[in-house]
Amino acid sequence: MVRPVMKDIFFLNQKSEPATKADKQVAEDLLDTLKANEAGCVGMAANMIGVKKRIIVVSMGFAYITMINPVIVKKFGAYETEEGCLSLVGVRRTTRYKDIEVDFQDLNFKKQHQKYSGWIAQIIQHEIDHCEGIVI
Ligand SMILES: [Zn+2]
């Protein structure tokens, strides 16, 4: 189900809680909402649809990835960049890492460990920031 995009900064500044199997519908709604906003958005975190749980979805162009309780365990190659956000107007400067390794659970709550680099890594870092209540 497509949900409205949350733009309340007070809400978005709050840290999300760990997601559980009870939140599977949230993950599905988040993916539906990302697909509906794909023209202006490459990733979303659950608090962007009003649910403070640690779930993100990322468009990889050819496929989507859902990450439940993602944690960046390694990061290399810091660089400065500018990013926009569906919940905010304009772009902001931030530091990102070129290569990251992430621990997360997939939609079946199976543990995963993956490496990402470049653009996809940048989107993942942006969405994990949302889970921490960081809105750049
Ligand atoms: Zn954002």
Side-chain angles (χ1 to χ4, degrees):
M1 189 178 74
V2 177
R3 301 221 207 166
V5 176
M6 167 66 65
K7 300 198 174 178
D8 181 341
I9 296 300
F10 177 77
F11 182 88
L12 292 172
N13 278 334
Q14 297 171 46
K15 215 169 165 172
S16 293
E17 293 158 15
T20 67
K21 283 183 180 164
D23 299 311
K24 193 166 175 175
Q25 186 62 47
V26 175
E28 287 170 8
D29 288 353
L30 188 59
L31 183 56
D32 289 343
T33 307
L34 174 63
K35 287 177 178 171
N37 286 282
E38 206 160 35
C41 184
V42 285
M44 289 186 79
N47 62 355
M48 293 174 71
I49 56 168
V51 182
K52 282 188 291 175
K53 293 297 175 91
R54 303 181 72 90
I55 304 170
I56 68 169
V57 291
V58 172
S59 169
M60 300 178 76
F62 53 92
Y64 299 92
I65 184 155
T66 299
M67 294 183 170
I68 295 168
N69 300 318
V71 179
I72 296 172
V73 290
K74 286 184 186 168
K75 50 191 183 185
F76 311 98
Y79 64 96
E80 293 291 314
T81 187
E82 284 187 344
E83 289 177 358
C85 176
L86 191 62
S87 286
L88 302 172
V89 176
V91 295
R92 283 149 198 84
R93 294 202 64 78
T94 186
T95 301
R96 294 298 182 208
Y97 295 84
K98 192 177 160 295
D99 297 291
I100 58 171
E101 292 186 25
V102 188
D103 281 345
F104 62 98
Q105 290 158 277
D106 64 22
L107 263 180
N108 298 312
F109 286 82
K110 195 166 167 271
K111 283 186 180 173
Q112 303 284 343
H113 177 89
Q114 296 285 340
K115 295 180 184 183
Y116 298 95
S117 60
W119 175 232
I120 300 295
Q122 186 178 350
I123 301 165
I124 292 169
Q125 289 168 83
H126 179 102
E127 303 313 332
I128 291 178
D129 274 359
H130 273 295
C131 296
E132 297 297 335
I134 299 166
V135 191
I136 66 135

